[in-house]
Amino acid sequence: MRKSTIIIDKDYEIADVDSRLFGSFIEHLGRAVYGGIYQPENISSDESGFRQDVLELVKELQVSVVRYPGGNFVSNYFWEDGVGPINQRHPRLDLAWKTIEPNIFGLGEFVNWAKMAGADIMMAVNLGTRGVADACNLLEYCNFPSGTKYSDLRKAYGIEEPYGIKLWCLGNEMDGEWQLGRRTMEEYGRISAEAGKAMKLIDPSIELVSCGSSSKGMPTFPEWDAVTLEENYDYVDYLSLHQYYGNENNDSNDYLAKSDDMDDFIHTVVSVCDYVQAKKRSRKKMYLSFDEWNVWFHSKAEEENITNRHPWQMAPHLLEDHYTFEDALMVGLMLITLLNHADRVKIACLAQLVNVIAPIMAEDGGVWRQTIYYPFLHASLYGRGTVIKTVVNTPVHMTNSHGEVNDVVCSAVYLKEREELTIFVVNRNLSEDQELILDVRSFGKLEFLEKLVLISDSLKKENSLNNESIKPLKDFNVNMDKQKVKTVLKKASWNVIRLKKEAKEMRGKNSA
Ligand code: AHR
């Protein structure tokens, strides 16, 4: 059997994990809002029309922050359409997805929903077809207490207290040819600097995210990131990254190596940020917001069919990827990559949350968890602590486009208050199991809490409303021996190994 060892020394801390790493995204797109989080006619919905079965799963995932209202949608977003009495609102053409936006669910409804979900809001402004003034008006409506045009409008609509939204995106994917109101890097640098400057005058407590390249594959990457940051560096706090992966060539070996590409992407963006910081002689460090990441490829043909052949529907089935078991492994690998960069990546949004490339699916008859739900759940529950550097000794295997890659990929998170160590591990060798030795001697005596695994007899297995067969199992086949943990990682598996300081040791420490 192949063998891997992982050494984890508790003194080699990378960084504390920002809880906003477990964020997600709701866009006015397809059935994310209508038929997703909001569906008054559904049996599970409350008096506001919010589906309680969906909310239960969102809460189970402990989603920390939700980006809204787009995405591509935001680049022609007219927030005023979705505030005030619902019976006075009008539908509008959504040019991003060629659908009809009814404006029944708007800003205030989203704020109420996010409160119920226990999540903060990451709000985006339209820097595509609108600009600085509109961004200021929206911020004034949301965060200014009273006595001005837009704060008083909010109060007139019965919302006395400001929303106090702290996190704002300055547009979306402004480098993309598909983006309404796309800008050149010089144009975006200027408008984002001016919007940022003005917005921070209105509310200096907010944090701003500048649009980085919309993927590593953009021809203007990484120049876009450098040029725009040079212009807006003093006004923004984060640079965004977006990346989706897929198994378009049906080459699973190659597919699962793509998380190494995400790792490279983050390294390059960190270098760009540090280059601009040095060039500007600035004391300020720029952090990263990976505010769109996921697997997205299953639904591409259907998307083309709806947006181009059958446009102007309301809430059509768009971007409804049904995820396979191997997609769950990929999402796990991406989570591990994000955790290992916790020193610079402070915000990350799994795109998206419900129905649209989502971990949660809502149908008229109920909700169900996609395969990718589980790695996110595990990381969100057990990944909030301090990331510890791992030294990994593992065999490699050959891939078609990424050369030799490691079999075993992992991240370790220590929760100091609870003295719990969690190791997230993927064995991305698809044909062989792996004996794993975890060397955790620096932690003193640890006891085994549990090992959770996602395994499957087929990489292509999916879940559905009536069959959630891909779900975590407990693996008891773990031996603890003198601060070494021995276990077997099944071929193609997601593993969560949870250890805790031994109770005797903890008692000794407390009574000392
Ligand atoms: O998440 C789906 C879309 O992907 C978003 O609207 C856009 O920002 C990205 O291209």
Side-chain angles (χ1 to χ4, degrees), residues 98-302:
K98 291 205 198 155
T99 57
I100 300 291
E101 167 53 52
N103 283 311
I104 296 165
F105 184 103
L107 177 57
E109 287 76 25
F110 182 70
V111 171
N112 293 340
W113 179 86
K115 208 172 280 163
M116 287 179 80
D120 288 334
I121 294 171
M122 182 182 202
M123 188 74 199
V125 298
N126 174 358
L127 291 188
T129 58
R130 301 183 99 180
V132 179
D134 168 62
C136 290
N137 296 345
L138 173 57
L139 178 61
E140 183 185 313
Y141 181 91
C142 289
N143 284 14
F144 205 74
S146 65
T148 63
K149 177 169 173 175
Y150 290 103
S151 59
D152 284 347
L153 182 65
R154 185 196 68 235
K155 291 177 74 167
Y157 291 152
I159 306 136
E160 197 59 36
E161 292 304 314
Y163 294 142
I165 298 172
K166 290 286 166 236
L167 193 56
W168 293 78
C169 301
L170 295 169
N172 177 70
E173 297 189 349
M174 298 305 306
D175 57 340
E177 178 273 318
W178 58 90
Q179 203 66 218
L180 285 152
R182 172 170 80 119
R183 311 233 174 212
T184 63
M185 47 188 110
E186 290 77 16
E187 286 167 351
Y188 179 71
R190 291 293 310 128
I191 194 168
S192 57
E194 293 308 320
K197 181 166 80 185
M199 288 171 78
K200 284 198 168 169
L201 283 173
I202 297 171
D203 183 350
S205 74
I206 58 172
E207 290 192 308
L208 296 174
V209 183
S210 177
C211 285
S213 294
S214 33
S215 80
K216 184 167 174 268
M218 293 300 286
T220 46
F221 174 75
E223 195 188 351
W224 167 281
D225 305 69
V227 170
T228 55
L229 262 194
E230 279 188 38
E231 200 60 55
N232 65 22
Y233 200 88
D234 293 340
Y235 306 110
V236 305
D237 306 280
Y238 305 92
L239 180 65
S240 79
L241 299 84
H242 290 182
Q243 190 68 50
Y244 297 94
Y245 293 109
N247 189 2
E248 293 86 355
N249 299 328
N250 198 18
D251 178 344
S252 304
N253 216 20
D254 217 49
Y255 174 40
L256 297 179
K258 291 182 183 175
S259 62
D260 292 13
D261 182 78
M262 185 187 196
D263 191 59
D264 285 349
F265 187 20
I266 296 173
H267 275 295
T268 308
V269 175
V270 166
S271 306
V272 170
C273 290
D274 292 349
Y275 159 76
V276 178
Q277 180 186 3
K279 192 166 174 195
K280 295 188 86 71
R281 279 40 173 184
S282 173
R283 295 172 69 86
K284 172 171 152 187
K285 200 180 272 302
M286 190 59 59
Y287 290 99
L288 311 191
S289 170
F290 215 124
D291 44 50
E292 286 189 35
W293 70 269
N294 200 352
V295 169
W296 173 16
F297 73 108
H298 297 284
S299 63
K300 291 274 181 185
E302 187 54 18

Side-chain angles (χ1 to χ4, degrees), residues 72-111:
N72 296 339
F73 173 82
V74 81
S75 292
N76 194 38
Y77 173 50
F78 292 80
W79 62 271
E80 305 90 326
D81 292 352
V83 297
I86 291 178
N87 58 9
Q88 288 170 27
R89 300 184 197 170
H90 299 285
R92 184 185 278 272
L93 295 176
D94 162 25
L95 303 183
W97 300 103
K98 291 205 198 155
T99 57
I100 300 291
E101 167 53 52
N103 283 311
I104 296 165
F105 184 103
L107 177 57
E109 287 76 25
F110 182 70
V111 171

